[in-house]
Amino acid sequence: MQTPKRHIVLMGAPGSGKGTQGAILAEKLGIKSFSMGDILRGVAKGESKEAQSIKKLIDKGRMVPNKLAVRLMENELLKPENADGYILDGFPRELPQAKVLDKDLASRKYKKYNMGVDLVLLLQVPDDYVIDRIIGRYQCAKCKELYHEKFKQPQKFGICDVCGCKEFTRRADDTYETVVSRLRTFRSVTAPVIPYYEQKGLLVCVDGTGPIDVVSEKIRKIVGY
Ligand SMILES: [Zn+2]
């Protein structure tokens, strides 16, 4: 039996389902899924000078410099409780981050931990599919159960299946314009990471359309668990 891959980068445009698939994979492998957003929000709660300056950047909606982003991610990955591996959800976000991460994990300081990326999964979905997926979604105001105008309406119209609540909310940024602009950013900023990992022989593309369990089964075969 092959050993499953345990140092995984999960890539895909916004709305490709990588958050969902990352969570499933993390549970199956018994490791954690990390996103830069979560890490930054965690760090920003601290009292240190660095925490305060990161909080300022977040509040202004600015990006954290690449080297700092990578260092914060590495701090998490190298915690003893994460020794069994990691899933990076949407990280590295851009090519310089990918290069710094690789260089660091292969450096003398980190090499002994054997933490280098060994698989990059790219979830591929057509743009119109992403747009459909994102702008139709809404959730229960009370229990946060997720619904979708096209793919998952409550059994009884207007009433949450889980808790019976009749109020629903939508994320303010789930509009056509923001989705298109996020797709454009993905293409210009993040897409250059794809050929980089391809050249290293680490990239595997996965068709991300279709039901969640069909996609996660494809991923299971690739990861080898
Ligand atoms: Zn509910």
Side-chain angles (χ1 to χ4, degrees), residues 113-154:
Y113 299 108
N114 215 359
M115 294 284 273
V117 175
D118 51 25
L119 175 67
V120 178
L121 288 169
L122 173 63
L123 279 176
Q124 292 181 303
V125 285
D127 283 2
D128 51 357
Y129 193 90
V130 167
I131 292 166
D132 259 8
R133 218 185 229 182
I134 293 184
I135 62 181
R137 67 187 181 187
Y138 60 97
Q139 63 183 166
C140 172
K142 202 170 151 197
C143 75
K144 309 294 176 202
E145 178 75 0
L146 291 166
Y147 294 98
H148 195 284
E149 285 166 7
K150 269 194 189 170
F151 310 123
K152 194 197 163 197
Q153 290 281 15

Side-chain angles (χ1 to χ4, degrees), residues 96-107:
Q97 293 181 350
K99 288 182 173 171
V100 175
L101 180 72
D102 270 357
K103 199 174 151 221
D104 284 356
L105 294 180
S107 69

Side-chain angles (χ1 to χ4, degrees), residues 140-145 147 160-165 167-168:
C140 172
K142 202 170 151 197
C143 75
K144 309 294 176 202
E145 178 75 0
Y147 294 98
C160 174
D161 292 343
V162 178
C163 73
C165 175
E167 264 179 71
F168 298 89

